[in-house]
């Protein structure tokens, strides 16, 4: 039987990897913000938001994870993405 310490260590390792993946995702979000600013694309694109939420919910179902839980996580990520894009737009305009 696996000890509680071993299980916690596995969780710690997974959490570290999750944070690494979040950092990589946020870096891509910065790239998206730069692209949108350079191409005058709208920050909020409702169809894309809906697509992200819908596909992630389906991925959750496929992985036997509660889709409502996954949607909450992705809504937080989408909120942070929006914040990054707004901040970048304000910084970009300040330099014009």
């Amino acid at each position: 039987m696996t000890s509680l310490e071993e299980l916690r260590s596995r969780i710690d390792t997974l959490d570290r990897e999750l944070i690494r993946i979040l950092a990589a995702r946020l870096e891509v979000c910065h790239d998206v913000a730069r692209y949108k600013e350079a191409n005058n694309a709208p920050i909020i694109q409702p169809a894309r938001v809906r697509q992200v939420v819908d596909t992630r919910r389906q991925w959750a179902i496929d992985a036997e994870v509660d889709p409502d839980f996954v949607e909450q996580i992705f809504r937080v990520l989408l909120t942070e993405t929006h914040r990054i894009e707004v901040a970048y737009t304000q910084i970009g305009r300040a330099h014009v």
Side-chain angles (χ1 to χ4, degrees):
M1 176 176 260
T2 306
S3 74
L4 182 57
E5 287 303 314
E6 290 170 324
L7 293 170
R8 287 178 174 165
S9 178
R10 287 175 54 196
I11 288 173
D12 291 345
T13 299
L14 291 168
D15 287 350
R16 189 176 301 113
E17 183 66 11
L18 181 59
I19 291 168
R20 187 194 65 73
I21 291 168
L22 286 172
R25 187 185 196 284
L26 291 174
E27 185 58 38
V28 174
C29 291
H30 284 275
D31 294 340
V32 169
R34 284 188 284 276
Y35 179 91
K36 286 182 176 182
E37 176 67 16
N39 293 281
N40 295 316
I43 292 174
I44 297 291
Q45 297 180 349
R48 174 61 179 159
V49 170
R50 183 80 257 152
Q51 177 192 34
V52 168
V53 170
D54 289 348
T55 58
R56 281 32 169 202
R57 284 183 65 85
Q58 186 58 55
W59 293 348
I61 291 166
D62 295 345
E64 298 182 359
V65 176
D66 181 354
D68 293 333
F69 171 65
V70 169
E71 181 175 343
Q72 288 177 7
I73 291 169
F74 276 91
R75 290 212 179 266
V76 169
L77 289 171
L78 290 166
T79 298
E80 179 62 9
T81 298
H82 179 253
R83 187 197 65 75
I84 289 167
E85 291 178 7
V86 168
Y88 191 85
T89 300
Q90 291 171 349
I91 291 169
R93 288 188 182 150
H95 287 98
V96 172

